[in-house]
Amino acid sequence: MPLPPLADRITHTPIAHDAAAAGRFMADFSARLAQSGAASALPPQPETPAARLLHGVFGSSPYLTRIILADVAEATSCLASPPEDYLRQSNERLAEDLASARRHDEAMKALRQAKRRLAIATALADLGAVWGVEQVTNALSDGADAMLQAAVRFLLREAAKQGKFAPPDPSVPEADSGYIILAMGKHGARELNYSSDTDLTVFYDAHKAPLGEGVEPGPFFVRITRNLVKLMSERTSDGYGFRTDLRLRPDPGATQVALSVDAALHYYETFGQNWERAAFIKARPVAGDQQAGEMFLHDLAPYVWRKHLDYASIADIHAMKRQINAHKGHAEIAIEGHNLKLGRGGIREIEFFVQTQQLIAGGRQPDLRVRGTLTALEKLAERGWITGETATEMGEAYHFLRGLEHRLQMINDEQTHSLPDAGDAFERVAHLSGYENGAGLAAAVRQRLETVQAHYAALFEDVPTLSREKSHGNLVFVGDIDDPATVKTLAEMGFSSPASVISTVRGWHFGRYPAMRSARAREALTEFTPQLLEALVRTAQPDSALSSFDRFLAALPAGVQLFALLRSNPHLLGLLADILGTAPRLARIVSRRARLMDAVLDPGFLGHTPSREELAGIVDAALAESRSYEDCLDRARTVGKEQAFLIGVRVLSGTVDAGRAGHAYSAIAAQLIAGLHAQVETQMQEQHGSLPGGQMVVIGMGKLGSAEMTANSDLDLITVYDYDDGALQSDGARPLAPAQYFARQTQRLIAALTAPTAEGKLYEVDMRLRPSGKAGPVATRFASFASYQAREAWTWEHMALTRARVVAGPPALRDAVTATISDVLRQPRDHARTVAHVRDMRLRIAAEKGSKYIWDIKVVRGGLVDVEFIAQYLQLIHAHEHPDVLARCTIDALTRLSKHGLLAEDDAATLLNAAKLYHGLTQVLRLCIDGRFDTAKAPEGLKAMLCHAADAPDFRSLEATLTENLEAVAACFDRLVA
């Protein structure tokens, strides 16, 4: 019996977030439909489910609105057809289009048209509740399959025409070709989300491939694969097909995009990682020689599915989960900004919940070797590995989270998994999801996340522990002679100096520190020591971590309560160990201020980042309690370092991303500058009086201005002052001329920020961005500042000015300086002159500080400087006509430039992805180490943390990703700044 059309099966419709816009777009839709001349295309009648569906879409999703209005006849045809038939016919049409295509651009156009049809049909079927989540993800995956199959057939036919390939059946050249395309991850499981990449691995059987005479299989299939990626993912005026990712192949940083079957099998059998075993659970042949693909998976099965229960491997898989997310128990659920894929209680936890149990038992129970997450949940329940209730609850959460993930991605076709932070954007997601308001959506999300989190935590509580905590060798620390077996055990655990470890622990038992004076404390430490050592050896530098813990212990007044707390809270012990062993800067602070751990113990600590207002209150309260100017400086250092420490802990635990960390570090700095500026101003008035109309503001430049600071950022500052024209000197007991007065006030502010006190230094300050640089006065009068910036400043100074932000001073002068900066940035510019200056400045930096080392992320070609220069250059040349593009933060600037059509979508995607990657890696590196990052000497713990920051499965993949981003940004720079 024929299925009813999509329009007749709609049972749910989204709410228009912007009803007025929805009405306009509905009218536009009808007008375009009338103009299309499509005889079969009839507009949905008012008040029908189809009309309500379009109204909700037009009011909430800019992306869907754009693609529907681009082809209204196609959208109407979709509504008038069963979506199953519509997409089947679309795939048939695609195959015909590529069969007749003669050039790559024709093939790319056909692929992109098919993707648009797929995007419209799946979105309407999803939002109209015509299909459930499984039908939607299956349809998206089937569409990707059809596109890959058509593209591979096109490329192999082309190769056959050139005499490089001799298929037995030219009409089906992929059959028996030996060319294997495996879909991994969500694509392999037929679970693609609305804006997914397709994760592929590509292999070839050199013995089977029917190649032309003299054609080498390796170069041939590598070239075919590169052309396939281009056909699928390169952006054109018609958009893109599917973004294609090949980084799940073996050792992606060192291997070609297509590998021989023999080389691949050798790699997996010899060097394969447990995370790769998990990846192959979902692997599926989707294009090329699918029979050869099935044979490859059959040969690989003993590697993936081991016959014995494999808890050790599961611990490794769980460790990978912690790298991607956060250590178990560290991350809290915060709805606004929560990552539905990687965050606590998210989709990745459901997938790991399933995959780990499949790996444990799939070797002996073949019916568990299924690709789909929901099918696997059912199988696990049937086999008794989980209860039926657990399967039902996890399955319902999966349906809900995947559906919500689709709606996030439908808004702007962005590959995002994170809920908006708050406000209008969150309400838009709620309306597209059919909720009346954000509160209703938030409650529904929290319920599912907490359900998943509870089941996931319970699963790993039951997994046997194979660590030395339960199976360690000798750990004897009594007596005055080192126990040889203990030395051996400690060395096997990973300590480079076992004798020092024994000496340190022995010292604790001698009660040398106040915390260890009681017998009860020493007994608690004896029980706790194996667990402590296990935690420390998992850090980047175990010996250094132990020394830091020793200093930490020395500062404690008592130890019993702490040891009991750490033993009963392994997540807190892991966090403390990470701090002590991986982040020297944080370790130094916590060793001197053990009381900081009190804040970390607060259950809400990791789930909440203080707002600017909260930080202002913390700083103001600390400085208000000071008894003298010197005491004020000490308190500023104390509160500054403590707050920076707490942000660092959040970064380390994975609960704060690079963007939020940059804002938080910058907010602390701005509040401290404002507080110390007020103190300096008061002191100046007490000693030198005041000037009529006298006032001074502090301008934050660089990362302070753009709110992108890291743990060790300097402060780039400019001070600007003003006074009444008739004022000749201050009116105090020791009067000063105006220029001298504000120069001294600036010098005192710098000293207040930089001078070492009993509490150390607060920040380093750089004033070189002031007018006239190092040669000019340290403070500049407002009129001179405005004149200089308008008439004399170099282009590079205006580039720096795009990030300028007034952080302290009276409102009137703040507003005047801000307005002047805005006026300067919005002035018209000679594009050719500007671009010449920008390129010259970049060449100078390359000559003076350039590097070819990819981990010199700031200055390496294609690195952070190039991203920032592109954003700053484009703002300068376009701000006159488009003032809205001005934004201090690089990511915000790129987003605005793209929104205004001043930066192509593919360039914006490249630069935004790179900026987020660079900032994430830089935050971790600046937090954890001093000096240059050396991969040859870097501990594995630090590498793991960098992988977590970049959502990379291993360090080789991370370096491959970083290299790809550097190359892509360099190409953007050459193209855009030209």
Side-chain angles (χ1 to χ4, degrees):
M1 182 176 178
L3 290 168
L6 191 155
D8 293 346
R9 293 158 63 184
I10 296 168
T11 60
H12 173 88
T13 57
I15 298 169
H17 180 67
D18 185 340
R24 292 194 302 272
F25 288 131
M26 285 292 288
D28 189 13
F29 177 85
S30 297
R32 293 187 186 211
L33 192 59
Q35 295 169 4
S36 71
S40 62
L42 296 174
Q45 296 301 307
E47 301 307 317
T48 61
R52 290 197 297 273
L53 174 59
L54 289 176
H55 187 268
V57 167
F58 290 158
S60 297
S61 170
Y63 168 69
L64 290 177
T65 300
R66 186 168 67 251
I67 64 171
I68 288 173
L69 293 181
D71 196 344
V72 293
E74 194 68 60
T76 308
S77 175
C78 175
L79 286 167
S81 309
E84 299 83 355
D85 294 346
Y86 176 83
L87 287 178
R88 176 179 50 76
Q89 293 164 8
S90 174
N91 291 339
E92 292 170 355
R93 177 175 161 188
L94 170 64
E96 292 170 0
D97 288 345
L98 259 70
S100 62
R102 295 293 177 264
R103 303 191 312 271
H104 280 223
D105 60 335
E106 295 173 352
M108 291 169 76
K109 186 176 186 68
L111 287 164
R112 281 142 188 78
Q113 290 173 338
K115 174 61 183 301
R116 184 164 63 188
R117 296 193 295 269
L118 178 65
I120 292 173
T122 52
L124 294 178
D126 191 349
L127 293 171
V130 175
W131 282 347
V133 165
E134 286 179 275
Q135 289 171 289
V136 173
T137 58
N138 287 350
L140 288 165
S141 304
D142 292 345
D145 289 359
M147 291 171 68
L148 284 165
Q149 290 160 10
V152 168
R153 181 171 293 183
F154 169 81
L155 291 169
L156 292 179
R157 278 177 177 164
E158 184 181 53
K161 290 175 185 176
Q162 296 168 353
K164 298 177 181 179
F165 191 66
D169 183 353
S171 67
V172 191
E174 68 273 17
D176 295 319
S177 65
Y179 185 49
I180 299 168
I181 310 287
L182 298 182
M184 311 292 283
K186 289 182 172 61
H187 187 185
R190 299 182 73 229
E191 294 172 345
L192 278 182
N193 61 45
Y194 194 75
S195 191
S196 272
D197 286 354
T198 57
D199 291 304
L200 306 177
T201 53
V202 181
F203 307 106
Y204 60 87
D205 187 338
H207 308 293
K208 186 178 184 183
L211 300 177
E213 186 175 350
V215 176
E216 289 293 326
F220 174 80
F221 286 114
V222 165
R223 184 166 55 254
I224 292 288
T225 303
R226 287 177 175 160
N227 285 334
L228 175 64
V229 171
K230 181 178 180 181
L231 287 180
M232 291 291 292
S233 59
E234 185 174 282
R235 283 185 180 270
T236 70
S237 59
D238 297 303
Y240 64 97
F242 274 91
R243 292 179 294 263
T244 304
D245 193 334
L246 302 176
R247 287 173 296 177
L248 287 180
R249 69 185 186 273
D251 197 0
T255 57
Q256 291 285 5
V257 292
L259 289 178
S260 74
V261 166
D262 293 341
L265 289 173
H266 174 74
Y267 168 85
Y268 290 120
E269 292 166 359
T270 309
F271 306 107
Q273 305 296 302
N274 280 310
W275 69 263
E276 291 172 306
R277 289 180 58 208
F280 269 98
I281 291 176
K282 295 183 175 184
R284 176 172 62 92
V286 293
D289 188 342
Q290 296 191 49
Q291 184 178 4
E294 294 289 0
M295 182 59 66
F296 176 81
L297 291 180
H298 177 269
D299 292 343
L300 202 62
Y303 158 71
V304 179
W305 306 108
R306 298 178 182 172
K307 292 184 179 180
H308 305 289
L309 296 182
D310 193 8
Y311 288 107
S313 296
I314 299 315
D316 192 23
I317 294 292
H318 187 44
M320 175 186 144
K321 170 63 177 68
R322 290 199 303 269
Q323 291 171 17
I324 292 173
N325 182 19
H327 289 320
K328 180 183 166 190
H330 288 186
E332 300 298 331
I333 292 173
I335 300 303
E336 290 80 5
H338 195 82
N339 190 309
L340 298 178
K341 176 182 176 182
L342 303 177
R344 294 293 284 155
I347 295 165
R348 183 62 60 86
E349 286 196 352
I350 300 174
E351 293 171 341
F352 269 74
F353 178 91
V354 170
Q355 290 169 0
T356 49
Q357 295 179 90
Q358 286 181 283
L359 287 178
I360 289 173
R364 296 194 307 169
Q365 298 174 355
D367 56 324
L368 294 180
R369 302 176 190 180
V370 294
R371 297 183 177 105
T373 302
L374 294 170
T375 305
L377 280 169
E378 295 173 3
K379 295 292 184 183
L380 288 168
E382 290 173 7
R383 279 287 188 170
W385 285 91
I386 59 176
T387 65
E389 180 184 11
T390 297
T392 299
E393 291 181 352
M394 292 289 267
E396 193 279 333
Y398 184 82
H399 274 107
F400 176 87
L401 294 173
R402 289 300 306 273
L404 181 55
E405 179 184 50
H406 288 175
R407 280 142 187 78
L408 283 175
Q409 296 173 348
M410 286 175 187
I411 291 174
N412 285 309
D413 190 31
E414 292 177 331
Q415 193 183 9
T416 182
H417 311 279
S418 295
L419 291 166
D421 284 339
D424 185 72
F426 195 89
E427 294 292 319
R428 180 184 292 274
V429 175
H431 289 152
L432 187 61
S433 304
Y435 289 87
E436 292 289 341
N437 52 51
L441 174 62
V445 173
R446 183 175 293 280
Q447 174 194 335
R448 274 67 174 202
L449 297 179
E450 290 177 347
T451 296
V452 173
Q453 186 179 31
H455 286 304
Y456 183 80
L459 171 69
F460 284 101
E461 285 170 4
D462 295 335
V463 173
T465 299
L466 298 182
S467 69
R468 289 182 183 83
E469 188 179 328
K470 297 258 180 108
S471 60
H472 52 72
N474 275 24
L475 287 176
V476 177
F477 301 101
V478 296
D480 55 0
I481 298 175
D482 294 351
D483 172 54
T486 299
V487 171
K488 180 182 177 182
T489 299
L490 292 170
E492 290 173 347
M493 290 174 72
F495 288 101
S496 60
S497 180
S500 296
V501 176
I502 294 172
S503 176
T504 299
V505 177
R506 185 183 292 140
W508 298 343
H509 287 280
F510 285 154
R512 293 171 182 167
Y513 301 145
M516 303 307 304
R517 299 260 163 90
S518 72
R520 186 179 171 197
R522 292 193 294 274
E523 289 170 2
L525 182 62
T526 298
E527 295 177 359
F528 173 67
T529 296
Q531 191 176 352
L532 169 66
L533 296 176
E534 281 291 328
L536 295 179
V537 296
R538 289 193 291 268
T539 67
Q541 296 173 309
D543 295 84
S544 175
L546 182 67
S547 297
S548 295
F549 185 83
D550 183 54
R551 292 191 296 272
F552 171 67
L553 202 59
L556 287 177
V560 175
Q561 183 177 2
L562 177 68
F563 300 149
L565 183 69
L566 293 176
R567 190 172 187 199
S568 60
N569 291 275
H571 73 277
L572 182 60
L573 173 60
L575 178 58
L576 177 60
D578 280 345
I579 293 168
L580 298 174
T582 310
R585 187 171 288 101
L586 296 184
R588 288 194 294 271
I589 296 171
V590 77
S591 295
R592 290 194 296 267
R593 296 183 175 88
R595 61 186 175 82
L596 284 173
M597 293 305 293
D598 292 343
V600 179
L601 297 177
D602 185 335
F605 165 73
L606 290 171
H608 172 70
T609 303
S611 66
R612 186 186 309 172
E613 292 74 20
E614 289 174 303
L615 288 171
I618 292 168
V619 172
D620 290 345
L623 300 187
E625 294 175 1
S626 57
R627 297 180 296 275
S628 65
Y629 181 72
E630 290 72 21
D631 184 41
C632 176
L633 298 187
D634 282 339
R635 288 177 182 272
R637 283 148 179 74
T638 299
V639 72
K641 290 180 178 180
E642 288 182 356
Q643 290 302 317
F645 166 83
L646 297 177
I647 293 169
V649 172
R650 292 180 175 100
V651 172
L652 204 64
S653 67
T655 58
V656 167
D657 61 22
R660 290 169 66 193
H663 276 90
Y665 282 126
S666 304
I668 292 169
Q671 293 302 327
L672 287 167
I673 291 168
L676 291 174
H677 177 254
Q679 292 286 332
V680 167
E681 196 171 50
T682 299
Q683 193 185 50
M684 286 291 295
Q685 290 171 356
E686 290 174 355
Q687 296 177 3
H688 302 287
S690 58
L691 285 158
Q695 50 187 333
M696 186 177 88
V697 296
V698 183
I699 305 173
M701 308 291 287
K703 292 192 182 299
L704 169 61
S706 62
E708 295 168 321
M709 288 181 67
T710 65
N712 72 340
S713 289
D714 293 349
L715 301 180
D716 292 298
L717 303 179
I718 295 175
T719 57
V720 173
Y721 64 87
D722 210 354
Y723 59 91
D724 291 345
D725 285 338
L728 299 178
Q729 63 180 19
S730 60
D731 58 9
R734 296 155 57 190
L736 295 172
Q740 187 181 12
Y741 184 97
F742 289 109
R744 187 165 298 180
Q745 184 169 326
T746 299
Q747 289 164 346
R748 289 191 177 185
L749 175 62
I750 296 171
L753 292 165
T754 63
T757 73
E759 294 295 329
K761 282 187 174 184
L762 191 53
Y763 295 102
E764 295 290 343
V765 172
D766 191 335
M767 301 286 291
R768 287 176 294 178
L769 289 177
R770 68 186 186 273
S772 303
K774 292 185 290 185
V778 292
T780 308
R781 191 175 182 186
F782 173 62
S784 299
F785 173 82
S787 174
Y788 178 84
Q789 294 294 347
R791 299 181 180 88
E792 302 176 46
W794 294 82
T795 298
W796 69 264
E797 292 178 293
H798 285 176
M799 291 169 66
L801 212 60
T802 62
R803 305 167 82 177
R805 173 169 61 107
V806 182
V807 296
L813 188 54
R814 289 175 76 122
D815 292 344
V817 169
T818 300
T820 295
I821 292 171
S822 179
D823 290 342
V824 168
L825 295 176
R826 287 187 289 125
Q827 67 188 20
R829 297 176 191 276
D830 182 326
H831 288 202
R833 180 173 177 270
T834 302
V835 76
H837 289 175
V838 174
R839 292 188 70 87
D840 179 65
M841 185 64 184
R842 184 64 185 98
L843 289 172
R844 289 189 183 189
I845 292 175
E848 294 175 11
K849 303 178 181 179
S851 172
K852 294 183 179 180
Y853 182 52
I854 64 170
W855 288 100
D856 288 334
I857 295 173
K858 180 177 180 180
V859 296
V860 67
R861 177 161 163 74
L864 190 55
V865 166
D866 283 341
V867 176
E868 292 171 347
F869 270 35
I870 291 170
Q872 293 162 10
Y873 159 69
L874 291 176
Q875 287 181 93
L876 288 184
I877 64 171
H878 292 301
H880 176 64
E881 294 182 355
H882 302 277
D884 287 347
V885 302
L886 292 175
R888 301 181 186 98
C889 171
T890 303
I891 289 174
D892 290 345
L894 293 170
T895 302
R896 294 188 185 190
L897 288 161
S898 176
K899 181 180 178 182
H900 283 274
L902 305 173
L903 182 62
E905 286 185 8
D906 51 342
D907 287 335
T910 295
L911 295 170
L912 286 168
N913 287 338
K916 291 171 185 175
L917 174 67
Y918 298 165
H919 282 301
L921 296 176
T922 300
Q923 283 288 2
V924 172
L925 290 172
R926 296 294 175 266
L927 178 69
C928 294
I929 62 172
D930 293 307
R932 198 182 198 202
F933 177 58
D934 185 347
T935 57
K937 299 178 181 177
E940 292 304 314
L942 178 54
K943 290 182 177 179
M945 196 169 297
L946 290 167
C947 291
H948 163 220
D951 189 19
D954 60 22
F955 195 72
R956 288 178 304 191
S957 299
L958 171 57
E959 289 204 306
T961 300
L962 179 56
T963 300
E964 290 171 9
N965 277 271
L966 293 172
E967 292 171 352
V969 170
C972 278
F973 186 93
D974 289 343
R975 184 169 57 257
L976 297 173
V977 188

